[in-house]
Amino acid sequence: MRSVSLLAPGKINLYLEIIGDRRDGYHSLVMILQSITLADEIQIYANGTNQIRVTCHHPQVPQTQDNLAYRAAALMQKQFPDLADNYGGLDITIDKHIPVAAGLAGGSANAAGVLVGINLLWSIGLVQAELQELAAMLGSDIPFCIGGGTAIATGRGEQLDTIPPLDNCWLVLAKYQSIAVSTPWAYKTYRQLYHHEYLNDTASLEARAAHIHSGPLVSAIQEKNVTKIGKLLHNDLEKVVLPEYPLVNELREICQNAGGLGTMMSGSGPTVFTLCESQIEAETIKQKIRATIPNPDLELWVTQLCSHGIQLIPHSLT
Ligand code: C5P
């Protein structure tokens, strides 16, 4: 039996700006995406049947065809029918560490892992750009999850320009286990409230997207000036999520007051992160947040920024 194991890191958004509508119903975005060391582990086995089976013991993760990991495997079978016939079906096991429905791209990372894993398992030889093209068919964040690191993402989020990686920073992540935010709801509500501010003509959209490359946050990342980075964090979706979820708003304030370089919600939330200069600072801030909110529903993690996306676990390709 052939098998492969991979690490699939989550991500945070250091920057998320919604700049316009797209004909396909999505939004034109300008983002800076950043991988984190908090990662899921994915095992993929050629199971000798013709079925795809997903196993994940996390109660919020579907083991059905709705799972993005399942859809990634189905896409590979469709794209490479002869190899699918040759190697048969797949058993995919997901060991979940990234919080679910949290704005940390956990599901996207799993799908990215499956694409990379099947590429290895079936010896297809697709290069990163080809994998990212397939990934974009499944979801906007999945192309980034393949290569990871630090990247400017424009278009729907799938057009990527990597920038020098930031991996010396620490993070505290905070999320109420019982709160999940629907990403389509967040974008739909944003459109209802802020449509009048969207840019409409292609030239303005292109100019705004290009502007990020020479903007202050990218410069701060290039200079590795973490104090400046902490001050320049931005997320437009906070404008719709925080008023609707007062507990997340309060959590954000508590995290911000606990110290660190800067605090922001990631993606469509509800995870809030605080950027820290060191592991010791992150652990201290985590303890302060816990002392202010003893509620066991609040989950806290200390993690690090990381400079890679999907990684093969050494010697796991058999
Ligand atoms: O692409 P993905 O499936 O991750 O997107 C989830 C949802 O987020 C979409 O269905 C859409 O409602 C919203 N979205 C958007 N514009 C983007 C990315 C996502 O409106 N660029």
Side-chain angles (χ1 to χ4, degrees), residues 68-89:
L68 264 179
Y70 182 103
R71 288 173 46 205
L75 177 66
M76 291 300 261
Q77 285 189 332
K78 193 168 152 227
Q79 295 286 322
F80 303 100
D82 294 344
L83 292 170
D85 279 349
N86 187 21
Y87 287 103

Side-chain angles (χ1 to χ4, degrees), residues 26 68 71-72 75-76 78-79 115 130-143 156 158:
Y26 282 75
L68 264 179
R71 288 173 46 205
L75 177 66
M76 291 300 261
K78 193 168 152 227
Q79 295 286 322
L115 296 179
E130 291 168 320
L131 284 166
Q132 284 173 332
E133 223 171 279
L134 291 174
M137 295 163 73
L138 296 164
S140 312
D141 283 342
I142 307 175
R156 199 158 57 91
E158 86 294 8

Side-chain angles (χ1 to χ4, degrees), residues 18 20-22 24-29 31 68 71 108 136 138-142 154-158 182-188 191 268:
I18 300 172
D21 254 332
R22 289 165 54 97
D24 58 10
Y26 282 75
H27 286 88
S28 283
L29 305 177
M31 300 190 285
L68 264 179
R71 288 173 46 205
S108 296
L138 296 164
S140 312
D141 283 342
I142 307 175
T154 53
R156 199 158 57 91
E158 86 294 8
S182 150
T183 304
W185 168 84
Y187 279 101
K188 198 176 89 196
R191 180 182 280 128
S268 56

Side-chain angles (χ1 to χ4, degrees), residues 4-19:
V4 63
S5 301
L6 308 111
L7 272 183
K11 66 98 182 102
I12 55 165
N13 298 74
L14 298 172
Y15 188 87
L16 191 163
E17 185 186 349
I18 300 172
I19 61 172

Side-chain angles (χ1 to χ4, degrees), residues 101-121:
L104 299 174
S108 296
N110 296 166
V114 169
L115 296 179
V116 173
I118 294 176
N119 187 39
L120 292 168
L121 206 59

